[in-house]
Amino acid sequence: MNKNLRKAVIAGNWKMNKTRPEAKALLEAIKPLAANAEGKIEVIACVPFTNIETAVNTTAGSNIKIGAENVHFAKSGAFTGEISADMLVEAGVEYVVIGHSERRQYFGETDVTVNKRTKAALEAGLKPIVCVGETKEQREDGITEGVIGAQITLDLCGISAEDIKKTIIAYEPVWAIGTGLTATPDQAEEVCAFIRGELARIYGKDTADAVTIQYGGSMNAKNAAELLAKPDIDGGLIGGASLKAEDFNVIIQAAVNG
Ligand code: 13P
């Protein structure tokens, strides 16, 4: 298909894990393999806000890019506890995870706020990683495509074709996150291909073919190669397995080989 139009992107989402010394040690252990992958794939570590400075310094001059795990949509103001896109850019951040299902589930994130955050991130020059995915109940009810289609339409509303090419879509079935249950390669491919179809409906085929779509949800050293071999899966957003250098390195290698 058109997979050669897109660079594979392997991103760790550390969630609420790692102190600064631990962050430094993990990144140092990933650096050598990420260096080998230079020019072939993109490697990203999305880290807690408190680790950003350490992560940016540790990875300076390397092939590892740093991401944040959330961003507020306002430029500045009375939003206690929030961080703006400009603040992230100033800190050296290049990517930001937006609309992760944990934020939707525990912190009142909606498609409307995901859309606002995505626009704010793009405006500031950050590359958003926008997460979509269905729950177990939604899959069992046979409404996976309806749910994902609505998320794509609403989350990306008003975003230009030029900006969507800077945006990564992460398909993360909620039932596969942190559960050890992985979507089969066929299940993951089916939804990633559906997402690309929705992008083609909105932006046209050429633009849709240029957008990186990741799979996330219990991706690990054992299953990564099979998932990444699928035509519409351009990378992974990895939680638990990104916290162990050994496992993350195997996933990076699988993407390089794929
Ligand atoms: P796990 O890889 O731990 O299932 O987490 C996936 C995820 O939520 C990445 O954003």
Side-chain angles (χ1 to χ4, degrees):
M1 291 236 326
N2 297 307
K3 203 163 180 177
N4 53 354
L5 297 174
R6 305 176 293 270
K7 217 192 227 183
V9 181
I10 297 298
N13 173 11
W14 290 7
K15 309 191 180 184
M16 198 172 71
N17 292 293
K18 302 289 176 191
T19 61
R20 280 190 278 188
E22 288 168 350
K24 187 168 172 19
L26 176 54
L27 290 165
E28 292 290 4
I30 295 165
K31 260 206 270 193
L33 203 64
N36 283 346
E38 182 132 28
K40 297 179 196 136
I41 72 161
E42 187 102 339
V43 179
I44 307 168
C46 298
V47 306
F49 292 132
T50 50
N51 286 341
I52 287 172
E53 190 178 359
T54 302
V56 167
N57 290 339
T58 307
T59 56
S62 82
N63 183 37
I64 304 172
K65 309 277 191 273
I66 300 304
E69 300 178 15
N70 190 25
V71 62
H72 198 261
F73 40 80
K75 283 294 258 186
S76 63
F79 299 100
T80 302
E82 294 295 320
I83 306 278
S84 77
D86 288 343
M87 291 170 180
L88 294 178
V89 170
E90 185 188 41
V93 165
E94 291 183 46
Y95 288 86
V96 60
V97 177
I98 297 177
H100 192 279
S101 65
E102 286 150 16
R103 296 218 60 87
R104 295 180 191 253
Q105 191 177 350
Y106 304 127
F107 303 104
E109 189 81 76
T110 66
D111 290 314
V112 172
T113 55
V114 170
N115 180 247
K116 288 168 83 167
R117 289 182 211 279
T118 305
K119 285 177 174 161
L122 286 162
E123 199 177 316
L126 292 169
K127 294 179 197 150
I129 302 175
V130 176
C131 302
V132 297
E134 83 287 2
T135 63
K136 183 167 173 280
E137 293 70 28
Q138 289 165 337
R139 176 163 281 266
E140 285 168 359
D141 287 349
I143 57 169
T144 297
E145 290 193 353
V147 169
I148 305 283
Q151 288 174 337
I152 291 291
T153 302
L154 298 170
D155 295 356
L156 305 178
C157 179
I159 288 164
S160 68
E162 198 186 318
D163 276 346
I164 197 69
K165 289 185 196 168
K166 299 174 197 155
T167 304
I168 294 174
I169 310 295
Y171 166 53
E172 298 209 315
V174 179
W175 49 272
I177 294 176
T179 57
L181 289 174
T182 318
T184 65
D186 285 343
Q187 281 174 326
E189 167 60 20
E190 190 180 18
V191 180
C192 290
F194 171 76
I195 291 171
R196 202 174 305 285
E198 289 296 282
L199 294 174
R201 178 177 61 75
I202 302 168
Y203 296 102
K205 188 174 179 310
D206 287 353
T207 299
D209 279 345
V211 178
T212 295
I213 301 176
Q214 295 176 318
Y215 168 78
S218 300
M219 187 184 267
N220 58 40
K222 289 206 181 84
N223 61 26
E226 232 189 330
L227 286 158
L228 294 169
K230 289 293 179 184
D232 286 291
I233 302 178
D234 308 313
L237 185 56
I238 299 122
S242 75
L243 299 172
K244 292 177 232 131
E246 231 173 78
D247 292 6
F248 197 60
N249 280 338
V250 172
I251 298 172
I252 292 173
Q253 193 57 51
V256 170
N257 295 343

